[in-house]
Amino acid sequence: MFKRPSTDLWRVGVAPIRMEQLSPAALAQAASLVAWLPDPGPWRYLADPFAVMRDEHLHVFVEAFDYRTKRAVIEQHRLRCADLQWVDQAVVLSRECHLSYPFVFEHAGSTYMVPESHQAGEVVLYQAQDPQMRRWERVGTLMSGQAYADASLIEHAGAWWMFYTIVGPGKRDQRELHVARSPSLLGPWQAHEHNPIVNDARHARPAGRPYVDARSGHVLVPVQDCSQTYGGATRLLRFGALASGRVTYRVVPGQFTAENVCDSHQQGLHTLSGCGPYTLFDVKRVDRSRGRQWIDLQRRLRRLFSR
Protein backbone atom coordinates (compact mmCIF):
# COMPACT_ATOMS: atom_id res chain seq x y z
CA MET A 1 0.00 0.00 0.00
CA PHE A 2 1.32 3.45 -0.87
CA LYS A 3 2.35 5.59 2.08
CA ARG A 4 -0.22 8.24 2.97
CA PRO A 5 0.88 11.72 1.87
CA SER A 6 1.54 14.55 4.30
CA THR A 7 0.00 17.82 3.14
CA ASP A 8 0.60 21.10 4.96
CA LEU A 9 -2.43 23.43 4.97
CA TRP A 10 -2.04 26.93 6.43
CA ARG A 11 -4.52 29.46 7.76
CA VAL A 12 -3.97 33.21 8.29
CA GLY A 13 -5.17 35.20 11.28
CA VAL A 14 -5.00 38.84 12.40
CA ALA A 15 -4.83 39.51 16.14
CA PRO A 16 -5.60 42.99 17.59
CA ILE A 17 -2.32 43.27 19.49
CA ARG A 18 0.89 45.11 18.70
CA MET A 19 3.88 42.99 17.74
CA GLU A 20 6.00 44.87 20.28
CA GLN A 21 3.66 43.72 23.06
CA LEU A 22 3.38 40.14 21.86
CA SER A 23 4.23 37.11 23.94
CA PRO A 24 3.05 33.49 23.63
CA ALA A 25 0.63 34.10 26.51
CA ALA A 26 -0.70 37.35 25.02
CA LEU A 27 -1.33 35.69 21.65
CA ALA A 28 -3.23 32.87 23.34
CA GLN A 29 -5.33 35.37 25.28
CA ALA A 30 -6.22 37.19 22.05
CA ALA A 31 -7.34 33.98 20.30
CA SER A 32 -11.05 34.76 20.59
CA LEU A 33 -10.53 38.16 18.91
CA VAL A 34 -8.65 36.89 15.86
CA ALA A 35 -10.00 37.75 12.40
CA TRP A 36 -9.38 34.64 10.28
CA LEU A 37 -9.05 34.78 6.53
CA PRO A 38 -11.81 32.69 4.88
CA ASP A 39 -10.99 29.16 3.72
CA PRO A 40 -9.73 29.43 0.10
CA GLY A 41 -11.18 26.03 -0.87
CA PRO A 42 -9.99 22.43 -1.31
CA TRP A 43 -6.27 21.83 -1.74
CA ARG A 44 -5.44 25.51 -1.38
CA TYR A 45 -4.00 27.50 1.47
CA LEU A 46 -3.08 31.06 2.42
CA ALA A 47 0.12 31.76 4.34
CA ASP A 48 2.98 34.23 4.96
CA PRO A 49 0.88 37.31 5.84
CA PHE A 50 2.28 40.86 5.69
CA ALA A 51 0.29 44.09 5.70
CA VAL A 52 0.18 47.86 5.39
CA MET A 53 -2.49 50.16 6.79
CA ARG A 54 -4.37 52.52 4.47
CA ASP A 55 -7.76 54.28 4.49
CA GLU A 56 -8.90 52.55 7.70
CA HIS A 57 -8.25 49.15 6.12
CA LEU A 58 -5.54 46.61 6.71
CA HIS A 59 -4.24 45.48 3.33
CA VAL A 60 -3.04 41.92 3.90
CA PHE A 61 -0.76 40.27 1.35
CA VAL A 62 -0.39 36.49 1.41
CA GLU A 63 1.01 33.53 -0.45
CA ALA A 64 -1.93 31.79 -2.16
CA PHE A 65 -0.85 28.22 -2.88
CA ASP A 66 -2.74 25.61 -4.93
CA TYR A 67 -1.67 21.95 -4.73
CA ARG A 68 -3.33 21.34 -8.11
CA THR A 69 -0.65 23.48 -9.79
CA LYS A 70 1.98 23.28 -7.01
CA ARG A 71 2.53 26.98 -7.43
CA ALA A 72 1.60 30.13 -5.58
CA VAL A 73 0.68 33.71 -6.43
CA ILE A 74 0.43 36.77 -4.21
CA GLU A 75 -3.08 37.81 -3.15
CA GLN A 76 -4.24 40.97 -1.39
CA HIS A 77 -7.11 40.79 1.13
CA ARG A 78 -8.63 43.93 2.66
CA LEU A 79 -9.72 43.93 6.31
CA ARG A 80 -11.98 46.75 7.54
CA CYS A 81 -10.47 47.84 10.85
CA ALA A 82 -13.71 49.21 12.33
CA ASP A 83 -15.32 45.77 12.66
CA LEU A 84 -12.55 43.37 11.55
CA GLN A 85 -14.56 42.20 8.55
CA TRP A 86 -12.98 41.08 5.29
CA VAL A 87 -14.05 43.26 2.38
CA ASP A 88 -12.50 41.96 -0.86
CA GLN A 89 -9.53 40.21 -2.41
CA ALA A 90 -7.50 40.10 -5.62
CA VAL A 91 -4.46 38.44 -7.16
CA VAL A 92 -1.85 41.20 -7.36
CA LEU A 93 1.33 39.41 -8.46
CA SER A 94 1.94 36.28 -10.51
CA ARG A 95 5.06 34.93 -12.23
CA GLU A 96 6.06 31.72 -13.96
CA CYS A 97 7.91 30.70 -10.80
CA HIS A 98 6.48 30.09 -7.34
CA LEU A 99 5.95 33.24 -5.24
CA SER A 100 5.54 33.45 -1.47
CA TYR A 101 6.46 35.53 1.61
CA PRO A 102 5.24 38.91 0.24
CA PHE A 103 7.34 41.19 2.45
CA VAL A 104 5.52 44.51 1.97
CA PHE A 105 6.64 47.81 3.52
CA GLU A 106 6.53 51.57 3.11
CA HIS A 107 9.55 53.80 2.53
CA ALA A 108 9.97 57.43 1.46
CA GLY A 109 6.32 57.78 0.46
CA SER A 110 6.17 54.60 -1.63
CA THR A 111 5.00 51.06 -0.97
CA TYR A 112 7.33 48.18 -1.83
CA MET A 113 7.22 44.41 -1.84
CA VAL A 114 9.96 41.80 -1.78
CA PRO A 115 8.31 38.42 -2.44
CA GLU A 116 10.23 35.19 -2.23
CA SER A 117 11.14 33.81 -5.67
CA HIS A 118 13.95 31.39 -4.82
CA GLN A 119 13.27 29.34 -7.95
CA ALA A 120 14.41 32.36 -10.00
CA GLY A 121 17.59 32.75 -7.94
CA GLU A 122 17.09 36.40 -7.05
CA VAL A 123 15.68 38.89 -4.55
CA VAL A 124 13.46 41.32 -6.45
CA LEU A 125 12.02 44.66 -5.33
CA TYR A 126 8.55 45.68 -6.57
CA GLN A 127 6.84 49.05 -6.17
CA ALA A 128 3.07 49.64 -5.97
CA GLN A 129 1.79 51.67 -8.93
CA ASP A 130 -1.65 52.63 -7.57
CA PRO A 131 -3.11 53.64 -4.18
CA GLN A 132 -5.04 50.35 -3.91
CA MET A 133 -1.76 48.41 -4.33
CA ARG A 134 -3.25 46.16 -7.00
CA ARG A 135 -0.57 46.89 -9.64
CA TRP A 136 3.13 46.25 -8.97
CA GLU A 137 6.17 47.02 -11.08
CA ARG A 138 9.61 45.48 -10.78
CA VAL A 139 12.06 48.27 -9.91
CA GLY A 140 15.24 46.46 -8.94
CA THR A 141 17.15 43.27 -8.25
CA LEU A 142 18.63 43.42 -4.76
CA MET A 143 20.60 40.16 -4.88
CA SER A 144 21.05 37.37 -7.42
CA GLY A 145 22.89 34.11 -7.98
CA GLN A 146 21.51 31.91 -5.20
CA ALA A 147 18.18 30.42 -4.11
CA TYR A 148 17.34 33.15 -1.59
CA ALA A 149 14.26 32.61 0.59
CA ASP A 150 12.16 34.71 2.97
CA ALA A 151 14.12 37.98 2.65
CA SER A 152 13.14 40.31 5.51
CA LEU A 153 14.33 43.92 5.46
CA ILE A 154 14.75 46.67 8.02
CA GLU A 155 16.36 50.11 7.99
CA HIS A 156 18.43 50.53 11.14
CA ALA A 157 21.28 52.73 12.36
CA GLY A 158 21.90 54.36 9.01
CA ALA A 159 21.87 51.20 6.89
CA TRP A 160 19.53 48.64 5.39
CA TRP A 161 19.70 45.05 6.65
CA MET A 162 18.32 41.91 5.02
CA PHE A 163 17.78 38.64 6.86
CA TYR A 164 17.32 35.61 4.61
CA THR A 165 18.04 31.93 4.14
CA ILE A 166 19.22 29.89 1.15
CA VAL A 167 17.45 26.82 -0.23
CA GLY A 168 19.83 23.89 -0.62
CA PRO A 169 20.60 20.26 0.24
CA GLY A 170 20.12 18.91 3.73
CA LYS A 171 17.26 21.30 4.51
CA ARG A 172 19.73 24.17 4.43
CA ASP A 173 16.93 26.74 4.36
CA GLN A 174 15.55 25.44 7.66
CA ARG A 175 18.81 25.73 9.62
CA GLU A 176 20.71 28.75 8.24
CA LEU A 177 20.17 32.47 8.73
CA HIS A 178 22.12 34.90 6.55
CA VAL A 179 22.49 38.68 6.71
CA ALA A 180 23.24 41.28 4.05
CA ARG A 181 23.84 45.02 4.41
CA SER A 182 23.37 48.01 2.10
CA PRO A 183 23.73 51.79 2.41
CA SER A 184 20.41 52.20 0.57
CA LEU A 185 17.35 50.15 -0.31
CA LEU A 186 18.37 49.69 -3.93
CA GLY A 187 21.89 48.62 -3.02
CA PRO A 188 24.58 47.66 -3.43
CA TRP A 189 23.83 44.78 -1.08
CA GLN A 190 26.75 42.92 0.47
CA ALA A 191 26.43 39.52 2.16
CA HIS A 192 27.92 39.50 5.67
CA GLU A 193 31.39 38.04 5.98
CA HIS A 194 30.33 35.74 8.83
CA ASN A 195 27.37 34.11 7.03
CA PRO A 196 25.59 32.01 7.98
CA ILE A 197 25.28 33.86 11.26
CA VAL A 198 23.01 31.07 12.56
CA ASN A 199 23.26 27.36 11.80
CA ASP A 200 20.56 25.84 13.99
CA ALA A 201 17.14 24.57 12.89
CA ARG A 202 15.63 25.74 16.19
CA HIS A 203 15.95 29.43 15.28
CA ALA A 204 17.12 30.26 11.76
CA ARG A 205 14.69 30.70 8.85
CA PRO A 206 13.06 34.19 8.83
CA ALA A 207 9.44 34.23 9.97
CA GLY A 208 8.15 37.77 9.68
CA ARG A 209 8.84 41.49 9.92
CA PRO A 210 11.93 42.57 11.93
CA TYR A 211 11.37 45.48 14.32
CA VAL A 212 13.31 47.66 16.74
CA ASP A 213 12.77 47.45 20.49
CA ALA A 214 12.05 51.04 21.56
CA ARG A 215 13.77 50.69 24.95
CA SER A 216 17.01 48.94 24.00
CA GLY A 217 17.31 49.90 20.34
CA HIS A 218 17.95 46.24 19.50
CA VAL A 219 16.60 44.64 16.33
CA LEU A 220 14.30 41.67 16.89
CA VAL A 221 13.75 39.14 14.12
CA PRO A 222 11.03 36.44 14.09
CA VAL A 223 12.50 33.09 13.04
CA GLN A 224 11.11 29.60 12.56
CA ASP A 225 11.74 26.62 14.79
CA CYS A 226 12.03 23.75 12.30
CA SER A 227 13.68 21.30 14.70
CA GLN A 228 10.61 19.01 14.80
CA THR A 229 8.78 19.93 11.58
CA TYR A 230 8.87 22.69 8.99
CA GLY A 231 7.29 25.78 10.50
CA GLY A 232 6.57 24.03 13.77
CA ALA A 233 6.86 27.20 15.87
CA THR A 234 8.26 30.73 15.85
CA ARG A 235 10.83 32.37 18.12
CA LEU A 236 12.44 35.80 18.33
CA LEU A 237 16.13 36.61 17.95
CA ARG A 238 17.40 39.77 19.65
CA PHE A 239 20.44 41.31 17.96
CA GLY A 240 22.66 43.11 20.45
CA ALA A 241 25.18 44.02 17.76
CA LEU A 242 24.43 44.42 14.08
CA ALA A 243 27.38 45.87 12.19
CA SER A 244 29.38 45.16 9.05
CA GLY A 245 32.12 43.40 11.03
CA ARG A 246 30.23 41.99 13.99
CA VAL A 247 26.86 40.36 14.68
CA THR A 248 25.71 39.08 18.06
CA TYR A 249 22.31 37.76 19.07
CA ARG A 250 20.44 35.79 21.69
CA VAL A 251 17.27 33.75 21.54
CA VAL A 252 14.39 35.41 23.38
CA PRO A 253 12.77 32.97 25.85
CA GLY A 254 9.38 31.65 24.77
CA GLN A 255 8.00 29.93 21.73
CA PHE A 256 4.94 30.87 19.66
CA THR A 257 2.89 27.77 18.82
CA ALA A 258 -0.57 27.14 17.39
CA GLU A 259 -2.03 24.95 20.14
CA ASN A 260 -3.69 27.73 22.15
CA VAL A 261 -4.58 29.92 19.18
CA CYS A 262 -6.62 27.80 16.74
CA ASP A 263 -8.71 24.66 17.29
CA SER A 264 -8.44 23.38 13.70
CA HIS A 265 -4.77 24.12 12.88
CA GLN A 266 -2.40 23.13 15.68
CA GLN A 267 0.69 21.68 14.01
CA GLY A 268 2.69 24.78 13.17
CA LEU A 269 3.01 28.57 13.32
CA HIS A 270 5.62 30.05 11.02
CA THR A 271 4.90 33.77 10.55
CA LEU A 272 4.64 36.71 12.96
CA SER A 273 4.30 40.07 11.25
CA GLY A 274 3.43 43.36 12.90
CA CYS A 275 1.47 46.23 11.34
CA GLY A 276 0.48 49.04 13.72
CA PRO A 277 -1.93 47.72 16.37
CA TYR A 278 -2.18 44.29 14.69
CA THR A 279 -0.10 41.13 14.51
CA LEU A 280 -0.54 38.78 11.56
CA PHE A 281 0.32 35.10 11.82
CA ASP A 282 -0.38 31.74 10.22
CA VAL A 283 -1.05 28.29 11.63
CA LYS A 284 -0.79 24.81 10.11
CA ARG A 285 -2.65 21.55 10.03
CA VAL A 286 -1.41 18.41 8.30
CA ASP A 287 -3.81 16.51 6.05
CA ARG A 288 -3.03 12.81 5.52
CA SER A 289 -5.91 11.84 3.25
CA ARG A 290 -5.21 10.05 -0.04
CA GLY A 291 -6.95 12.77 -2.04
CA ARG A 292 -3.55 14.47 -2.40
CA GLN A 293 -2.31 11.51 -4.46
CA TRP A 294 -5.16 11.96 -6.93
CA ILE A 295 -4.41 15.70 -7.14
CA ASP A 296 -0.73 14.97 -7.85
CA LEU A 297 -1.62 12.38 -10.52
CA GLN A 298 -3.95 14.81 -12.28
CA ARG A 299 -1.23 17.48 -12.32
CA ARG A 300 1.32 15.08 -13.81
CA LEU A 301 -1.13 13.93 -16.47
CA ARG A 302 -1.88 17.54 -17.48
CA ARG A 303 1.84 18.17 -17.89
CA LEU A 304 2.29 14.98 -19.89
CA PHE A 305 -0.51 15.70 -22.36
CA SER A 306 0.36 19.39 -22.73
CA ARG A 307 3.78 18.62 -24.20
Side-chain angles (χ1 to χ4, degrees), residues 89-107:
Q89 67 182 75
V91 174
V92 296
L93 192 60
S94 177
R95 290 181 59 182
E96 290 299 319
C97 65
H98 171 83
L99 294 176
S100 62
Y101 204 81
F103 187 90
V104 63
F105 61 100
E106 294 178 303
H107 172 64

Side-chain angles (χ1 to χ4, degrees), residues 44-221:
R44 298 186 72 232
Y45 68 70
L46 305 177
D48 296 349
F50 291 89
V52 294
M53 189 86 71
R54 189 166 296 172
D55 300 328
E56 300 182 356
H57 288 80
L58 195 66
H59 296 253
V60 179
F61 296 84
V62 296
E63 168 196 358
F65 185 86
D66 192 330
Y67 277 102
R68 291 165 295 191
T69 60
K70 215 169 184 180
R71 177 175 164 268
V73 298
I74 303 303
E75 288 185 354
Q76 178 201 53
H77 297 251
R78 282 201 310 154
L79 180 69
R80 189 167 53 229
C81 297
D83 55 5
L84 294 184
Q85 294 297 309
W86 298 101
V87 178
D88 57 21
Q89 67 182 75
V91 174
V92 296
L93 192 60
S94 177
R95 290 181 59 182
E96 290 299 319
C97 65
H98 171 83
L99 294 176
S100 62
Y101 204 81
F103 187 90
V104 63
F105 61 100
E106 294 178 303
H107 172 64
S110 295
T111 305
Y112 296 95
M113 184 196 300
V114 179
E116 181 202 309
S117 54
H118 79 267
Q119 293 175 348
E122 58 185 359
V123 179
V124 177
L125 181 69
Y126 293 84
Q127 184 178 27
Q129 301 299 300
D130 64 310
Q132 293 75 34
M133 295 171 287
R134 296 289 174 92
R135 295 184 295 106
W136 294 82
E137 180 178 319
R138 178 174 178 150
V139 293
T141 302
L142 305 187
M143 298 181 75
S144 63
Q146 298 196 73
Y148 310 95
D150 295 355
S152 306
L153 282 63
I154 187 170
E155 188 178 17
H156 176 65
W160 280 86
W161 296 89
M162 180 192 300
F163 300 87
Y164 62 97
T165 190
I166 295 175
V167 177
K171 298 182 179 180
R172 182 183 182 187
D173 57 297
Q174 297 185 27
R175 55 181 168 79
E176 289 187 1
L177 177 63
H178 295 244
V179 174
R181 182 181 184 275
S182 174
S184 69
L185 174 59
L186 286 171
W189 286 89
Q190 180 66 43
H192 201 278
E193 60 184 285
H194 297 308
N195 280 337
I197 59 168
V198 177
N199 193 343
D200 190 329
R202 294 173 298 175
H203 47 259
R205 182 167 179 143
R209 189 184 306 281
Y211 64 96
V212 176
D213 177 53
R215 289 180 293 181
S216 67
H218 294 163
V219 172
L220 285 93
V221 180

Side-chain angles (χ1 to χ4, degrees), residues 162-304:
M162 180 192 300
F163 300 87
Y164 62 97
T165 190
I166 295 175
V167 177
K171 298 182 179 180
R172 182 183 182 187
D173 57 297
Q174 297 185 27
R175 55 181 168 79
E176 289 187 1
L177 177 63
H178 295 244
V179 174
R181 182 181 184 275
S182 174
S184 69
L185 174 59
L186 286 171
W189 286 89
Q190 180 66 43
H192 201 278
E193 60 184 285
H194 297 308
N195 280 337
I197 59 168
V198 177
N199 193 343
D200 190 329
R202 294 173 298 175
H203 47 259
R205 182 167 179 143
R209 189 184 306 281
Y211 64 96
V212 176
D213 177 53
R215 289 180 293 181
S216 67
H218 294 163
V219 172
L220 285 93
V221 180
V223 290
Q224 294 187 39
D225 182 344
C226 296
S227 58
Q228 302 300 315
T229 180
Y230 172 72
T234 297
R235 300 177 183 272
L236 294 174
L237 296 185
R238 177 183 290 272
F239 285 82
L242 193 57
S244 57
R246 181 168 175 260
V247 174
T248 63
Y249 71 89
R250 68 177 180 87
V251 182
V252 177
Q255 184 185 55
F256 296 88
T257 62
E259 285 86 349
N260 298 318
V261 181
C262 181
D263 292 335
S264 60
H265 294 59
Q266 298 193 344
Q267 292 165 289
L269 188 158
H270 82 343
T271 308
L272 286 175
S273 177
C275 183
Y278 301 99
T279 295
L280 299 87
F281 63 95
D282 55 14
V283 290
K284 178 177 77 170
R285 73 176 178 88
V286 178
D287 181 278
R288 299 191 183 277
S289 68
R290 294 197 180 278
R292 167 71 183 282
Q293 292 168 322
W294 174 239
I295 292 294
D296 290 344
L297 177 61
Q298 288 178 312
R299 185 181 64 253
R300 294 185 184 114
L301 288 173
R302 284 196 301 271
R303 289 178 180 173
L304 178 64

